[in-house]
Amino acid sequence: MARILSRYLPLVAWLVFISFASSDSFSADNTSRIIAPVVLWLFPNTTPESLAVIHFIVRKIAHFTEYAILAFLAARAFRTSPRAALASRWFLAALAVVVIYALIDEFHQSYVPSRTASIYDSLIDMSGGLVMLLVLRHRHRNRAPHFKHSRSLSV
C-alpha cells in the first residue's frame, strides 16, 4: 500500500492542484496582482503594454510547466508500476493523462466566470507534457544500454 501511495499520491495531488489553479484564484486579474509588482520591482520603467505582454507570457509558461510536471509525475507512477503492461506503455499512458486532463481543465474553465477556456491553452499544456515525456524517454533509452553494459561487466 505504501508503494502505491508513494507512486500515485504525488500524481493525484498535482491533478488537484491543477484543478485549483483553474479556479478564480488563478485568474488573470488575480495573477496580475502578483506578477505586476514583481516585474515593476525588477524593472521599474516597464510600460503598461510591456507589463501586459510579460504577464501573458508568464501565464503561458505556467501552463507549459504545470503540465510538464504532470507528465513527469504520471511517467514516474506508470514506469514503476508492477503491472507490466502499464510499465511498458508508460509513455502513452502518461501522454493520455496529459491530453485528457488538459482538455478537461479547459472545459472546466469555461464554467468559471473569471476564466476563459482556450484550445490554445490546452495545446500549450499538451506541449509541456509531451516535451517532458520526450526528455524522459530519451534519458531512459540512453541510460538503459549503459546499465546493461555495466551489469554484464560486473557479473
Side-chain angles (χ1 to χ4, degrees):
M1 185 62 158
R3 289 180 65 188
I4 291 172
L5 284 177
S6 70
R7 185 180 302 116
Y8 290 102
L9 189 59
L11 175 59
V12 171
W14 195 252
L15 291 169
V16 169
F17 171 76
I18 290 172
S19 296
F20 173 69
S22 294
S23 69
D24 178 59
S25 298
F26 282 81
S27 68
D29 287 341
N30 288 332
T31 58
S32 69
R33 292 180 188 145
I34 298 166
I35 296 169
V38 171
V39 171
L40 291 172
W41 179 71
L42 293 170
F43 308 101
N45 296 326
T46 305
T47 65
E49 296 79 18
S50 295
L51 191 58
V53 170
I54 292 167
H55 182 240
F56 176 81
I57 291 170
V58 167
R59 289 181 56 81
K60 298 313 166 192
I61 289 170
H63 272 271
F64 187 91
T65 304
E66 176 178 51
Y67 277 80
I69 293 169
L70 174 61
F72 175 83
L73 293 172
R76 177 184 170 271
F78 301 148
R79 277 182 46 197
T80 59
S81 175
R83 296 177 188 234
L86 184 57
S88 67
R89 292 179 183 86
W90 66 269
F91 185 94
L92 290 175
L95 184 60
V97 168
V98 167
V99 169
I100 291 167
Y101 215 75
L103 295 171
I104 289 171
D105 182 45
E106 288 303 315
F107 180 73
H108 166 254
Q109 286 184 28
S110 70
Y111 291 98
V112 178
S114 62
R115 302 297 303 261
T116 56
S118 167
I119 192 67
Y120 299 111
D121 284 348
S122 289
L123 293 173
I124 293 170
D125 298 341
M126 292 176 210
S127 297
L130 180 59
V131 166
M132 176 59 78
L133 291 173
L134 290 172
V135 167
L136 292 172
R137 185 171 68 181
H138 177 74
R139 288 184 62 205
H140 179 71
R141 285 184 176 171
N142 285 345
R143 188 178 300 161
H146 178 268
F147 285 133
K148 289 178 188 174
H149 181 67
S150 63
R151 290 177 85 197
S152 64
L153 290 177
S154 63
V155 172

